[in-house]
Amino acid sequence: MLLGIGVLAYFAIKGRIIRLRGEFQEALRRASQGPKSSLPSQDMVKCPSCGTYSAPSQQKNCGKSECPYKTPSMA
Ligand SMILES: [Zn+2]
């Protein structure tokens, strides 16, 4: 009786570990493939004047006259 419970517990724990390992590997795979489309680094634009990379939403004027980026307050 006790042995049966022990065997059941053993398989229950073992099954849970295997399931956890599968979830862990899937999480790793998801992390390595990554939500790259949502990362701002892919949309980075290089300023031809200063060479600074910045996301379109975070573009700032670097102070050089040829910089195409304008700060809203100065424009
Ligand atoms: Zn610039």
Side-chain angles (χ1 to χ4, degrees), residues 46-64:
K46 186 183 181 184
C47 172
S49 174
C50 58
T52 303
Y53 283 91
S54 56
S57 57
Q58 297 171 338
Q59 282 173 355
K60 277 190 224 166
N61 191 293
C62 56
K64 303 201 173 173

Side-chain angles (χ1 to χ4, degrees), residues 1-2 8-9 16 19-20 24 29 31 33 35 42 47 50 59 61-62 72 74:
M1 191 63 184
L2 271 176
L8 275 178
R16 190 179 299 173
R19 220 175 303 143
L20 277 175
F24 179 69
R29 210 179 309 140
Q33 287 177 353
Q42 280 215 335
C47 172
C50 58
Q59 282 173 355
N61 191 293
C62 56
M74 292 176 73

Side-chain angles (χ1 to χ4, degrees), residues 18-37:
I18 288 170
R19 220 175 303 143
L20 277 175
R21 199 184 295 164
E23 284 175 20
F24 179 69
Q25 284 175 346
E26 181 148 345
L28 266 183
R29 210 179 309 140
R30 232 177 283 158
S32 62
Q33 287 177 353
K36 279 177 184 169
S37 56

